Amino acid sequence: RVNRTDFMNALEEVHPAFGVAEEELQQVIQNGIIHYDTVVDELLRSGQLFVEQVRSSTRTPLVSVLLHGPPGAGKTALGASIAQASRFPFIKLISPDSMVGFSESQKVNAIQKVFSDSYKSPLSVIVVDNIERLIDWTPMGARFSNAVLQALLVLFARRPPKGRRLLILATSSLRSILTDIGFAETFDSELRVPPISSLAALEYVLREVELFTSTEERRAAVRTLRDSGIAGGSGEEGDDGMSSKLQIGIKKLLSVVEMARQEPDNVGQRLTGALMGLGM
Ligand code: ATP
Ligand code: MG
């Protein structure tokens, strides 16, 4: 029998989880979302559609989406933004960063706790970040924690209790290994988060972060990059079938920008030097 006190206690239990999550989410979107390419808006829009699906469709109380793409492409920040924008009463991030030093069973317990907390809320979003690190994937010998993997597989397939709805947004840089271990099929949908591959997008970021004090300096830096052959203007494949060499995750680009900023007299050179030195 559930009485009013149990009900209030349940609310109490749910609420702090939400508070903590807000900070966590904010932290992973620290640098905001820069709309450097139409793909960014498309991804946010797709995310919003999944949120609406969970909110309004009684037939799909559970929707799981995999955000995958190369390291630093912005998967975590996008997942967190989509989650935050849902304004669902329960939003939580499951991140390997918060489980450093956990034993296998502590990890499994922590993950299970987030899911069981979510079942108390009518609408929930759980961001399961960096699956390969959650399962302790080791390329050497292709090892991983089977206990964590099995827990995730079960939780990703479990329908929430009646009247509860849940959106799972998972991220990974290693989609191929998820396929190999039979994880990829559990997702209802996938969104690919690409790296920045055009000079136009790169220039947009440079403008947005106000790295240069003048437009001319910024243009000059972009010209240097273009002349270096790092990328064509569009980032699309040329006639020779060679794709542009520019492939940089927004995370890496932002860190290169901050490095260049440290030397105010030489920003342009620091930036172009670092980008060309990345061996793209
Ligand atoms: P990793 O592969 O290491 O897990 P990631 O793909 O999850 O990296 P994030 O950790 O999300 O990348 O880093 C992206 C960073 O770039 C964040 O600091 C975020 O605030 C910032 N950012 C700016 N614009 C965007 C954007 N359009 N999309 C995603 N992140 C963005
Ligand atoms: Mg990430």
Side-chain angles (χ1 to χ4, degrees), residues 4 84 99:
R4 191 183 141 77
Q84 216 174 26
M99 298 186 192

Side-chain angles (χ1 to χ4, degrees), residues 28-34 36 40 70-78 130 173 250-251 254:
V28 298
I29 331 173
Q30 221 167 31
N31 299 304
I33 297 291
I34 301 170
Y36 55 77
V40 175
K75 305 170 297 294
T76 305
L78 285 172
N130 208 327
S173 303
I250 178 72
K251 188 177 178 180
L254 291 177

Side-chain angles (χ1 to χ4, degrees), residues 135-207:
I135 63 172
D136 275 320
W137 170 258
T138 323
M140 191 84 75
R143 275 171 305 182
F144 56 91
S145 158
N146 196 44
V148 175
L149 173 66
Q150 292 310 319
L152 287 174
L153 286 174
V154 167
L155 293 166
F156 277 41
R158 180 175 292 162
R159 279 168 79 101
K162 203 164 174 299
R164 308 294 195 226
R165 300 179 194 170
L166 171 63
L167 173 63
I168 300 170
L169 298 172
T171 80
S172 171
S173 303
L174 293 173
R175 184 174 169 280
S176 59
I177 71 126
L178 298 191
T179 309
D180 294 346
I181 60 179
F183 203 148
E185 302 95 88
T186 58
F187 293 97
D188 297 305
S189 207
E190 292 186 7
L191 295 174
R192 181 176 143 76
V193 184
I196 289 174
S197 62
S198 79
L199 278 178
L202 190 141
E203 185 171 8
Y204 188 101
V205 173
L206 297 180
R207 191 170 53 218

Side-chain angles (χ1 to χ4, degrees), residues 23-273:
E23 260 171 53
E24 276 171 356
L25 291 168
Q26 208 53 60
Q27 208 164 15
V28 298
I29 331 173
Q30 221 167 31
N31 299 304
I33 297 291
I34 301 170
H35 299 254
Y36 55 77
D37 192 289
T38 50
V39 75
V40 175
D41 296 301
E42 282 160 18
L43 287 165
L44 291 172
R45 174 79 189 131
S46 304
Q48 194 190 342
L49 290 174
F50 289 121
V51 167
E52 290 318 315
Q53 184 186 346
V54 171
R55 195 199 311 273
S56 57
S57 165
T58 46
R59 273 180 214 162
T60 49
L62 175 67
V63 174
S64 61
V65 181
L66 175 65
L67 290 152
H68 66 92
K75 305 170 297 294
T76 305
L78 285 172
S81 305
I82 294 166
Q84 216 174 26
S86 74
R87 321 225 45 192
F88 282 4
F90 183 94
I91 305 171
K92 188 98 178 111
L93 177 69
I94 295 177
S95 158
D97 294 334
S98 62
M99 298 186 192
V100 175
F102 278 30
S103 68
E104 215 174 23
S105 62
Q106 283 172 322
K107 272 194 195 179
V108 169
N109 285 339
I111 294 168
Q112 275 169 344
K113 167 108 171 53
V114 172
F115 277 80
S116 57
D117 284 348
S118 82
Y119 299 147
K120 295 170 193 159
S121 163
L123 293 168
S124 305
V125 191
I126 302 177
V127 180
V128 184
D129 196 27
N130 208 327
I131 294 185
E132 58 274 18
R133 263 183 64 211
L134 275 178
I135 63 172
D136 275 320
W137 170 258
T138 323
M140 191 84 75
R143 275 171 305 182
F144 56 91
S145 158
N146 196 44
V148 175
L149 173 66
Q150 292 310 319
L152 287 174
L153 286 174
V154 167
L155 293 166
F156 277 41
R158 180 175 292 162
R159 279 168 79 101
K162 203 164 174 299
R164 308 294 195 226
R165 300 179 194 170
L166 171 63
L167 173 63
I168 300 170
L169 298 172
T171 80
S172 171
S173 303
L174 293 173
R175 184 174 169 280
S176 59
I177 71 126
L178 298 191
T179 309
D180 294 346
I181 60 179
F183 203 148
E185 302 95 88
T186 58
F187 293 97
D188 297 305
S189 207
E190 292 186 7
L191 295 174
R192 181 176 143 76
V193 184
I196 289 174
S197 62
S198 79
L199 278 178
L202 190 141
E203 185 171 8
Y204 188 101
V205 173
L206 297 180
R207 191 170 53 218
E208 200 73 5
V209 299
E210 299 178 340
L211 176 63
F212 294 101
T213 44
S214 77
T215 309
E216 207 22 69
E217 283 176 87
R218 190 182 68 235
R219 296 235 168 102
V222 172
R223 221 175 298 124
T224 305
L225 291 170
R226 177 173 292 124
D227 294 347
S228 78
I230 202 173
S234 64
E236 276 160 22
E237 283 193 17
D239 288 334
D240 54 1
M242 294 270 289
S243 54
S244 96
K245 280 177 280 176
L246 178 63
Q247 296 275 321
I248 186 169
I250 178 72
K251 188 177 178 180
K252 178 80 190 173
L253 177 57
L254 291 177
S255 93
V256 167
V257 163
E258 290 320 306
M259 181 213 64
R261 229 194 269 281
Q262 302 312 309
E263 212 177 316
D265 297 333
N266 227 347
V267 169
Q269 267 183 21
R270 284 295 298 259
L271 179 83
T272 53

